[in-house]
Structure formats: C-alpha cells, structure tokens
C-alpha cells in the first residue's frame, strides 16, 4: 500500500504539471484486483456545479499521431506506416512496449499506475483457459495469442531492440510479455476520440519533441498529441464513423467526418474510469475551451445532479455482451442485459454440401451473411418473451425482416413472420445452403424468367433472395438453424456440463466466499476470478442457446404446418 500510494502521488503530480485538472474527483488506489479508480471528492458539490469533474489536455493523449511524430519512434514508424506495413494499433502497441522498457521514459509516472496483469483470456493459466472450451472465446484466444506471438517474433522484437539502441540503451531486457502487456493496455483503455480537425492538422508534418516531464511545459503543440473480428475504448468500436480517409505522408491514418477527426487514443486520468451499466458520468471533447476553459481537452462530465463523497465515478463502455467484455476487458456481468449469441455456418463446410458450386454462386449474388449475432433483447419480440425491454422506445434490436413476396402467388407470407426473431440476412443464407435439387432448379427458372434467356441484365441481390424464398420457404432454413444451435450446445456441454452444472458451481462459490469471483485466503479452496468469469460467460451462452433453440423449433413446427396446409 505504501508503494502504491507513492506511485499514485507521482502520477497525480505528473497530471498536474502537464495541465490536467481534478476539479471534483480523486484517483484512488483500491486493491490489487481492482487497481485504481476515479472517486468523487469532498469538493464535488462546490466545484462541479457545471458537472465537470476532470479535465485533461489532449496533448497528453497517446495517439497514432503522437507516435508518428515521436523523436525516437517517429522516423522508423512513418516509413513502415507509409508503406502499409503496419496499422495505427500496431503503432500504439509498439509505443507502449518501448516506453515500458525505456530506462528514462517521460511516461513513467503514468505507466507505473497501469495494471501489470489482466483478466482477459490472453492472461489465463492453462487450467483457466480450459474453462472456456466449447465457446467462441476459446478458439479466438488461441488464434489471437498465436497471431501476437508471430507478430512479436517477426517484427516487434527486432524493432524494439533497434529503437532502444538508437535511444542509447543496449542493456534493457524485454520479452513477449511486454508486447502482450501493451496490447492489453490498448484494448482495455483506448477511447475513440472525436477531435476538431484544426487540432490535428496544424504542424502535422513537423517532427517535434513530444517528451513530457515533471516540469511544466508551455510549448506543447496542439498538433502533437492527437491524430476503433470476431469480438467487437471504452467504446473503441462503438462509433463507426463513415467519412473520408486522411493520409499522412501517403498513409491512411484516420477517418474524417465534416470538421471532426476520429482517432484512437489513451487519455491518462480519464482511462481510470471503470464500467457500470448505470454510468454516473460520460466524457466529452472541448475543442474551443468554451465548457472547461481548456481548449482541445477531454473532460469527465457528471450525469447526476450530485455525488456522495468518495463514491466511485463510472462510465459506460457501451452495450457489450459478456463475450466482448471478457475478451477485451477481462470482466463479465452476471445476467448481462446486453448479452448475445454468435451463430455461424462454417464457410469450409460449403464445399461438402450437394450442388456446392451453384449454391456458392447464389450466396455470392445475395451478399450472404455466414454468421449472425443474436442479442438477448431479440427474445423480447419472439414466441416466448421472457420479459420486456425496460424502455421499448430505446430498443434497437428489432428483427430486420424483409418483405417476402411471391411471384406465383402460391407462396404465402408466413403467419408467424412478425414473431420470428432471427435476422433475415442469415435466414436467406440458410435457405440457400439447405436447398434441395428441385428447389434449386426452381430458383434458376424464376431468375431466368426474370432476366430473360439472353441474360439481358443481372438480377439484384433482393431479387435473388425473393426467388430463393419463393422456391424454399422457411422450413429448410429453420431446420438447419435448429441443427446449428444443437451443435453449439453440444460443444459447450461436452466440456463443462449443463447450464444447471454451471449454476451449481456459481452458487457454491457465492456460499463459500460471499463475494462471487473474489479470491480470499481461508481454509477452503476458492475458485479464481478468471474461472468465475468463465463460468458466468459460458452459462449465459447456454441460456441464450436454450432460448433461441426454443424459438427456432417452434418456428420450424409452424412452418412445416403451413407448408403442409398449403400443399393440401
């Protein structure tokens, strides 16, 4: 605790001399599991009448632009970036790796405050990782670890060594764990920052000294500091900005929308805010200084009228399911309302199905989706709604059903279509894959009838989808979906048992510790926090599979009944 207090004091001083202002909050060390967090101070009621809790100049942010203009890394990184050898996230991870092992890094007060281990699966022990077998995360973690190791051995190791030698340091030791640490720091703490265009581009081609020190510097240039797989910072991926790509020395660096440039970056101070479903604060960018009095700054803004003293201030990382939360941040939320299930048809399996060539052409013509995410909230609109959204006006997970129509008039729109919770894009993929020979022939005939024997024009993807539905209906697709869900459940239960088994493990842990997921010393052996998170995650997946399987089986029975009635 004494050492942690000393590190915290150095960091707070570092923030202050570099222009940050803790107006109505403190950053405090909690414990070895949680690390440090942001808390309301006893000045909250007096100082935060405008709701501003913390202000950080964006010159203090670590962004790709800062890396490209860094005196040590800039030249080497600009060359690689221009040639397209690396992306902006690589730049960030390289910068963090180098600064971590540099003997005299000006970022040391900040880096010393960051966690050294993480709860995401990349840091699991072998035994802990086995708890994820059968889940999407298990394979994803194996692939990611292999990819990072290959990147480290193929590019990072020699590059870090070269940069340290250029810095006059040939003795510092580093390893793959340093690069793995940098990768985890980026994914757990990066923000997708909307910056004023004028803030990013003044002096963009000038290489300037961006070093920070414990001495106040007034020379910080506005152009120095600032320049989003299977598992989708704190809202790094939430904001998908469409706009023009900006080039720096010929290399794409960021997205621009009107007068805003979106970049990923770490903002010291604000990045200590933890996640809560009911966030008590949010962050904003003040380009002109009209809100905070500090131009080109990021500030933490209270969304509550008042704070009790010493209450933790949390933000929202976005509406993320446990799969994403565990993969990126290393924690889960029991009974997460934003949980989702990913279902996919393996692309490699297409080659082994009957008439694979013809079906592959139809899939391509329809721009077919081979996977889909099924949010828990879809179940609110299904045949067996387990509950209802708290705010239906804000529910954005409605099923996107296309308007099916029949060319012949013989295929009627199903009576259950408004209760079907599965996305039409994925269903049309499954219809095509499950198609029988006679149905495939009928699709070909319908499309030929539409475009003419001479092929005067190509049918649109919507027309191909309509032809497939006309020929097949829903039964084949729903049967295939039921099969996919059964396989997914079997894979999960093979390694970890049923949903009831997981529940029993969690109840036993809660009974022993009184605090699920925490490890405490005592006469009884407690499960690790990583194991607890894994069980919560996989149980949630089993619950979703069970619920969506019930929906799919019921829809299949209705579809078969209506097909039979139509034929008779």
């Amino acid at each position: 605790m004494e050492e942690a207090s000393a590190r915290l004091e150095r960091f707070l001083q570092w923030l202050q001399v570099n222009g940050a202002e803790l107006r109505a909050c403190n950053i405090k060390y909690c414990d070895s599991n949680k690390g440090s967090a942001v808390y309301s101070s006893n000045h909250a009621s007096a100082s935060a009448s405008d709701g501003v809790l913390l202000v950080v100049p964006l010159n203090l942010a670590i962004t790709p632009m800062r890396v490209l203009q860094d005196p040590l890394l800039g030249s080497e990184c600009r060359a690689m970036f221009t040639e397209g050898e690396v992306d902006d996230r690589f730049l960030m991870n390289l910068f963090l790796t180098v600064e971590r092992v540099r003997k005299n890094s000006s970022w040391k007060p900040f880096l010393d405050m960051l966690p050294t281990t993480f709860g995401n699966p990349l840091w699991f022990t072998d035994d802990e990782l086995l708890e994820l077998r059968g889940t999407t995360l298990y394979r994803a973690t194996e692939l990611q670890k292999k990819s990072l190791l290959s990147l480290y051995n193929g590019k990072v190791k020699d590059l870090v060594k070269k940069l340290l030698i250029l810095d006059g340091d040939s003795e510092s030791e580093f390893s793959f764990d340093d690069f793995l640490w940098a990768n985890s720091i980026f994914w757990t703490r990066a923000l997708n920052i909307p910056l004023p265009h004028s803030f990013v581009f003044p002096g963009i081609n000038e290489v300037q000294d961006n070093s920070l020190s414990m001495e106040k510097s007034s020379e910080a240039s506005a152009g120095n500091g600032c320049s989003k797989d299977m598992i989708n910072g704190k809202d790094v991926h939430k904001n998908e900005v469409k706009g023009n790509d900006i080039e720096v020395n010929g290399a794409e660096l960021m997205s621009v929308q009107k007068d805003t440039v979106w970049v990923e970056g770490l903002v010291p101070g604000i990045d200590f805010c933890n996640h809560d479903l009911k966030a008590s604060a949010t962050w904003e960018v003040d380009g002109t200084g009209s809100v905070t009095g500090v131009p080109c700054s990021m500030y933490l803004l209270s969304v509550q009228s008042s704070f009790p003293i010493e209450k933790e201030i949390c933000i929202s990382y976005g509406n993320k399911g446990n799969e994403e939360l565990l993969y990126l941040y290393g924690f889960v939320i029991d009974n997460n309302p934003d949980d989702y299930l990913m279902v996919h048809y393996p692309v490699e399996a297409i080659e082994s199905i009957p008439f694979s060539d013809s079906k592959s052409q139809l899939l391509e013509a329809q721009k077919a989706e081979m996977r889909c995410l099924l949010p828990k909230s879809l179940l609110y609109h299904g045949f067996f709604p387990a509950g209802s959204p708290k705010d239906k006006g804000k529910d954005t997970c409605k099923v996107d059903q296309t308007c099916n129509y029949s060319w012949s008039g013989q295929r009627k729109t199903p009576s259950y279509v408004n209760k079907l919770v599965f996305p039409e894009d994925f269903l049309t993929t499954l219809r095509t894959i499950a198609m029988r020979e006679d149905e495939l022939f009928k699709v070909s005939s319908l499309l030929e009838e539409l475009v003419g024997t001479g092929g005067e024009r190509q049918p649109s993807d919507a027309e191909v989808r309509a032809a497939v539905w006309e020929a097949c209906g829903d039964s084949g697709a729903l049967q295939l979906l039921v099969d996919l869900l059964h396989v997914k459940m079997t894979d999960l239960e093979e390694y970890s048992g049923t949903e009831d088994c997981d529940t029993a493990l969690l109840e036993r842990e809660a009974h022993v510790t009184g605090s699920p997921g925490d490890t405490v010393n005592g006469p009884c052996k407690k499960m690790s926090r990583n194991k607890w998170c894994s069980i919560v995650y996989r149980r949630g997946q089993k619950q979703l599979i069970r619920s969506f399987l019930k929906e799919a089986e019921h829809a299949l029975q209705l579809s078969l009944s209506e097909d039979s009635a139509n034929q008779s």
Side-chain angles (χ1 to χ4, degrees):
M1 286 297 295
E2 186 176 341
E3 182 182 348
S5 297
R7 286 198 302 266
L8 177 59
E9 185 60 34
R10 288 193 295 269
F11 173 61
L12 294 175
Q13 185 183 358
W14 180 84
L15 279 179
Q16 182 180 12
V17 299
N18 284 290
E21 301 176 8
L22 280 74
R23 297 185 178 179
C25 67
N26 290 320
I27 298 174
K28 295 175 57 178
Y29 179 78
C30 303
D31 54 52
S32 57
N33 284 329
K34 191 172 184 178
S36 298
V38 181
Y39 291 84
S40 58
S41 68
N42 55 3
H43 302 296
S45 58
S47 304
S49 57
D50 57 358
V52 176
L53 306 169
L54 169 64
V55 184
V56 181
L58 284 168
N59 284 323
L60 201 55
I62 301 175
T63 63
M65 286 296 296
R66 175 178 288 281
V67 180
L68 291 176
Q69 298 182 30
D70 185 80
L72 175 61
L73 285 74
S75 177
E76 194 77 26
C77 289
R78 282 196 300 274
M80 292 189 299
F81 198 69
T82 301
E83 294 299 321
E85 297 178 20
V86 299
D87 59 16
D88 51 356
R89 290 170 182 166
F90 177 90
L91 297 180
M92 298 280 288
N93 290 341
L94 178 65
F95 181 86
L96 289 167
T97 303
V98 171
E99 292 301 324
R100 189 188 198 202
V101 297
R102 284 180 75 180
K103 290 182 177 180
N104 299 308
S105 172
S106 56
W107 295 89
K108 183 174 174 55
F110 172 53
L111 300 181
D112 283 349
M113 284 289 294
L114 301 179
T116 55
T117 60
F118 302 84
N120 67 62
L122 286 174
W123 295 79
F124 278 20
T125 65
D126 291 341
D127 287 343
E128 289 170 341
L129 191 59
L130 290 178
E131 298 292 338
L132 294 175
R133 284 181 300 177
T135 69
T136 305
L137 274 190
Y138 182 75
R139 181 62 175 156
T141 300
E142 287 187 323
L143 292 174
Q144 188 189 25
K145 191 79 170 278
K146 183 178 179 180
S147 175
L148 289 172
L149 189 58
S150 176
L151 182 60
Y152 174 78
N153 289 323
K155 185 170 292 184
V156 174
K157 182 165 61 175
D158 291 340
L159 188 53
V160 171
K161 184 176 181 179
K162 178 181 179 180
L163 291 168
L164 290 175
I165 292 175
L166 288 174
D167 195 40
D169 181 2
S170 59
E171 299 179 357
S172 291
E173 297 182 356
F174 60 94
S175 67
F176 172 67
D177 283 348
D178 293 305
F179 182 59
L180 185 62
W181 172 88
N183 178 78
S184 294
I185 288 295
F186 172 80
W187 284 108
T188 56
R189 308 181 83 86
L191 302 170
N192 201 20
I193 312 171
L195 299 174
H197 186 281
S198 59
F199 176 71
V200 176
F201 288 99
I204 192 170
N205 293 317
E206 299 176 13
V207 179
Q208 303 180 24
D209 186 351
N210 296 317
S211 60
L212 302 169
S213 68
M214 294 301 293
E215 297 179 1
K216 184 79 170 180
S217 171
S218 59
E219 273 75 35
S221 166
N224 294 344
C226 295
S227 34
K228 218 155 191 219
D229 310 72
M230 184 209 74
I231 312 288
N232 284 341
K234 295 154 189 174
D235 271 284
V236 170
H237 301 283
K238 184 180 179 183
N239 302 308
E240 296 182 0
V241 181
K242 300 183 183 298
N244 300 318
D245 291 326
I246 291 300
E247 294 189 352
V248 178
N249 295 334
E252 291 183 0
L253 178 63
M254 59 199 77
S255 294
V256 175
Q257 188 178 41
K258 297 182 179 179
D259 294 327
T260 301
V261 183
W262 293 79
V263 299
E264 292 176 313
L266 272 67
V267 184
I270 288 179
D271 67 334
F272 285 97
C273 288
N274 288 314
H275 170 72
D276 198 302
L277 291 174
K278 297 180 179 180
S280 53
T282 185
W283 56 263
E284 303 285 348
V285 169
D286 186 2
T288 63
S290 59
V291 177
T292 64
V294 182
C296 295
S297 63
M298 179 180 285
Y299 61 97
L300 196 61
L301 181 66
S302 169
V303 296
Q304 298 180 356
S305 57
S306 62
F307 272 107
I309 297 175
E310 301 297 316
K311 178 178 174 57
E312 184 175 0
I313 298 170
C314 294
I315 61 176
S316 171
Y317 294 3
N319 301 325
K320 292 178 168 59
N322 281 341
E323 189 160 281
E324 191 173 0
L325 291 175
L326 184 55
Y327 188 75
L328 293 179
Y329 305 109
F331 68 88
V332 296
I333 299 172
D334 203 1
N335 297 315
N336 188 343
D338 297 311
D339 233 347
Y340 58 80
L341 180 71
M342 187 176 76
V343 182
H344 79 285
Y345 188 91
V347 177
E348 61 273 13
I350 296 289
E351 298 177 0
S352 62
I353 64 175
F355 314 105
S356 58
D357 290 342
S358 297
K359 291 180 179 180
S360 294
Q361 292 176 10
L362 285 172
L363 290 171
E364 183 177 353
Q366 296 172 83
K367 301 180 177 62
E369 296 287 343
M370 302 302 292
R371 65 177 61 194
C372 73
L373 291 181
L374 300 175
K376 180 188 287 188
S377 57
L378 288 177
L379 296 168
Y380 300 143
H381 311 287
F383 299 108
F384 309 100
S388 59
K390 292 181 179 179
D391 187 348
K392 292 186 178 181
K394 293 183 179 180
D395 181 31
T396 58
C397 292
K398 305 272 187 183
V399 182
D400 182 22
Q401 295 287 358
T402 61
C403 182
N404 294 321
Y405 62 92
S406 171
W407 292 344
S408 66
Q410 296 177 358
R411 175 77 66 184
K412 297 179 180 179
T413 300
S415 61
Y416 53 81
V417 66
N418 291 327
K419 287 289 188 178
L420 205 58
V421 300
F422 303 102
E424 177 66 19
D425 285 349
F426 191 57
L427 284 179
T428 196
T429 297
L430 299 183
R431 290 187 191 106
T432 305
I433 293 171
M435 204 182 300
R436 301 190 308 265
E437 182 178 8
D438 60 312
E439 293 170 338
L440 185 60
F441 178 77
K442 185 173 183 180
V443 170
S444 299
S445 299
L446 288 171
L447 293 177
E448 185 176 304
E449 184 181 310
L450 178 68
V451 303
T453 55
E456 286 81 4
R457 69 177 181 88
Q458 290 295 317
S460 68
D461 58 323
E463 289 170 334
V464 175
R465 291 183 180 202
V468 170
W469 180 79
E470 168 89 3
C472 305
D474 291 332
S475 299
L478 290 170
Q479 181 62 66
L480 184 52
L481 179 58
V482 167
D483 294 341
L484 290 174
L485 290 170
H486 271 301
V487 169
K488 198 169 181 69
M489 182 68 90
T490 300
D491 288 345
L492 272 172
E493 292 184 343
E494 177 185 357
Y495 296 108
S496 57
T498 65
E499 177 187 330
D500 289 340
C501 294
D502 290 336
T503 298
L505 287 172
L506 294 173
E507 288 177 348
R508 188 182 313 152
E509 170 70 3
H511 176 72
V512 171
T513 66
S515 182
D518 290 336
T519 54
V520 295
N521 295 321
C524 300
K525 179 68 174 177
K526 317 300 188 300
M527 72 170 64
S528 70
R529 184 177 184 276
N530 292 343
K531 182 176 180 179
W532 182 84
C533 288
S534 298
I535 297 173
V536 170
Y537 157 62
R538 77 188 186 210
R539 182 182 67 166
Q541 292 291 287
K542 292 171 187 175
Q543 291 170 339
L544 287 174
I545 294 172
R546 174 172 48 79
S547 296
F548 281 112
L549 186 55
K550 186 177 180 181
E551 291 284 336
E553 288 175 335
H554 188 69
L556 174 59
Q557 292 305 313
L558 292 175
S559 177
L560 290 171
S561 297
E562 294 192 9
D563 285 348
S564 178
N566 290 333
Q567 290 174 3
S568 62

